[in-house]
Amino acid sequence: MRKTLFKVHSWFALCALIPLIVISITGSILVFKSEIDGLLMPDSHFVVPSSSERKPIDSLITITENAFPRFVIGSWEIFSDDTADRVYLVERGTGIWHKFHLNQYTGDILSQPVGTSHYFTDWFLELHYTFLLNDIKALPGQTGTVLGFFFALFLLVLGITGLIIYRKFWQRLFSVRWRATLQIVLSDIHKMTGVLGSPIILILAITGGYFNWAVWYHEVIEHAEEEHFVLTKNLHSDAINFQAILDDSKKQIPTFNTTFLVMPLEPDENITLFGEVDSNNPLASEYANTVTYNKLTGKHMANWDIREVAVGWKVIDSFRKLHFGYFAGLISKILWCVIGLSPVWLAGTGFYLWFSRRKRKKQSQKNRQQKQQHPLNK
């Protein structure tokens, strides 16, 4: 069984070598996406709060609609610190998404609408989970997403088979035979790196695979027989008071703080607020809770409080912080960044070990053939 698993481990690694290196490098960099955005575009990413409160959201919506009349507001990422609001727009009649930055304290527009993969880190994110394949017209729409899901499965298989193959790892975990041959040294380091990083690698594989599967399922399965609805105008009533909705949401769920506003994007959808709440769970995400309002009347419809749902939903919600590694601040980010790069080292050492074994095996076969041809030679 160990020999079979070793073959499975080797061939899965070879098949997914390049994609896993791409996923590893991009993922480790994206752990610090917010910090990189701040360095690359400080004038649009950061704001200086001019007062203790944001401007009313309705005023900000009016500013946006007057500035960009050929777009419909699709969603709104809300911040109450020194990070500028990010507003996501849909070009009327096209279904193409754009985004821009807005100062939530003054109403100043900080950038012009650009594609959602225009900025460096956004392009990197697209490369991370779709390999930039979703936008190639010659391929099915979710090709990159599906491939990302399968490569996440490959990483999961590699992690599990590696732990089974080296199941007695604790006996020589930190023992590297430095005076041995290069192949033995690299083999020891390969095992040690894989074992130490396996808990985080397995988490990244499971959470990353889930995200890709969820996108694919929503786009391909749920809407398989439906044509994608294209926005040409707002689907909500012009009489909706969004600031009143934001204020009311705090009454609907105790300690609720809105982080994301999603407008109705299809005829059967309503206005949804995503947000965070005070919780003892450090893995609860900032989008874990929702409050829904009727798009025509503005009346409250439903709540989703992560503190009151089944454990399974809490586990799924924790995937966001677990995948991006920001649940414990800078410490967990650094750890996730370093361990996230370990597949690069594992790929390099693993390929060298595989190539050395293959070369040695060929040489052994060649020696046997020579002996068979010249049996009297010693």
Side-chain angles (χ1 to χ4, degrees):
M1 179 180 176
R2 186 175 182 275
K3 188 176 181 180
T4 301
L5 286 175
F6 191 83
K7 289 183 178 180
V8 171
H9 186 86
S10 299
W11 284 110
F12 267 62
L14 287 171
C15 292
L17 183 67
I18 301 301
L20 289 182
I21 289 177
V22 172
I23 291 172
S24 174
I25 294 174
T26 54
S28 292
I29 293 174
L30 288 169
V31 167
F32 295 99
K33 184 180 187 300
S34 180
E35 290 82 356
I36 295 172
D37 283 341
L39 290 173
L40 296 180
M41 44 184 186
D43 294 336
S44 58
H45 184 78
F46 290 118
V47 295
V48 178
S50 58
S51 64
S52 59
E53 295 184 358
R54 300 165 44 92
K55 288 181 71 70
I57 190 71
D58 296 283
S59 298
L60 299 177
I61 289 174
T62 300
I63 291 171
T64 298
E65 291 178 337
N66 290 338
F68 309 114
R70 68 189 183 94
F71 294 95
V72 178
I73 297 175
S75 57
W76 196 296
E77 199 166 3
I78 297 173
F79 295 95
S80 297
D81 51 17
D82 62 349
T83 303
D85 276 15
R86 290 190 280 267
V87 186
Y88 296 85
L89 307 172
V90 183
E91 189 173 358
R92 296 177 188 269
T94 67
I96 300 174
W97 284 77
H98 294 69
K99 77 171 183 177
F100 77 97
H101 299 81
L102 179 142
N103 188 322
Q104 62 269 38
Y105 302 102
T106 65
D108 294 335
I109 294 173
L110 304 178
S111 66
Q112 292 300 304
V114 295
T116 54
S117 59
H118 171 82
Y119 296 111
F120 170 73
T121 54
D122 293 328
W123 179 86
F124 234 49
L125 182 62
E126 192 75 15
L127 175 63
H128 177 70
Y129 81 94
T130 71
F131 306 101
L132 304 178
L133 296 177
N134 281 5
D135 295 330
I136 298 178
K137 294 182 179 180
L139 298 174
Q142 295 298 318
T143 298
T145 305
V146 173
L147 285 177
F149 168 75
F150 279 107
F151 287 128
L153 284 184
F154 278 30
L155 185 59
L156 181 63
V157 171
L158 288 171
I160 294 174
T161 55
L163 285 176
I164 296 175
I165 292 169
Y166 307 118
R167 54 189 176 277
K168 296 182 180 180
F169 60 84
W170 63 85
Q171 296 177 355
R172 300 182 59 182
L173 181 57
F174 296 100
S175 300
V176 179
R177 292 164 285 182
W178 296 106
R179 296 183 180 180
T181 63
L182 177 61
Q183 185 174 348
I184 293 175
V185 171
L186 291 180
S187 178
D188 288 346
I189 296 177
H190 183 89
K191 296 172 187 176
M192 183 177 67
T193 303
V195 169
L196 292 177
S198 60
I200 294 177
I201 291 174
L202 291 176
I203 288 173
L204 295 175
I206 294 170
T207 55
Y210 171 80
F211 289 143
N212 280 54
W213 173 84
V215 171
W216 172 80
Y217 183 84
H218 175 75
E219 293 294 332
V220 177
I221 301 300
E222 290 187 346
H223 299 282
E225 299 179 357
E226 301 176 9
E227 288 195 13
H228 206 286
F229 183 80
V230 178
L231 279 173
T232 57
K233 62 179 181 179
N234 290 328
L235 298 182
H236 60 80
S237 169
D238 293 336
I240 295 292
N241 186 328
F242 284 94
Q243 187 59 49
I245 286 177
L246 292 179
D247 294 338
D248 181 74
S249 65
K250 299 180 182 297
K251 302 175 184 177
Q252 299 298 334
I253 299 180
T255 72
F256 182 81
N257 177 49
T258 302
T259 57
F260 207 75
L261 164 64
V262 179
M263 301 295 191
L265 303 175
E266 297 186 8
D268 60 345
E269 294 181 350
N270 287 285
I271 300 167
T272 304
L273 306 182
F274 291 80
E276 57 191 357
V277 295
D278 293 340
S279 172
N280 295 325
N281 179 9
L283 297 178
S285 78
E286 60 271 39
Y287 310 110
N289 311 270
T290 63
V291 186
T292 305
Y293 292 86
N294 187 283
K295 64 176 178 289
L296 300 178
T297 65
K299 291 185 178 180
H300 171 258
M301 296 179 64
N303 296 336
W304 175 273
D305 189 337
I306 194 65
R307 296 167 296 189
E308 299 177 356
V309 300
V311 175
W313 289 111
K314 294 179 181 179
V315 171
I316 292 175
D317 174 67
S318 71
F319 283 5
R320 180 178 179 81
K321 284 189 174 180
L322 284 173
H323 190 74
F324 294 102
Y326 62 95
F327 55 88
L330 185 60
I331 294 176
S332 60
K333 280 189 170 187
I334 293 175
L335 181 62
W336 252 238
C337 178
V338 173
I339 299 299
L341 282 172
S342 64
V344 177
W345 171 256
L346 291 170
T349 55
F351 181 80
Y352 175 82
L353 295 172
W354 172 83
F355 184 78
S356 298
R357 285 192 297 269
R358 186 177 179 85
K359 186 177 180 181
R360 191 171 62 250
K361 185 177 180 180
K362 285 186 176 181
Q363 185 61 46
S364 177
Q365 290 176 345
K366 185 177 180 181
N367 292 339
R368 286 198 300 270
Q369 289 175 355
Q370 290 178 347
K371 288 183 179 180
Q372 290 174 357
Q373 293 174 358
H374 306 284
L376 297 179
N377 291 342
K378 295 183 179 181

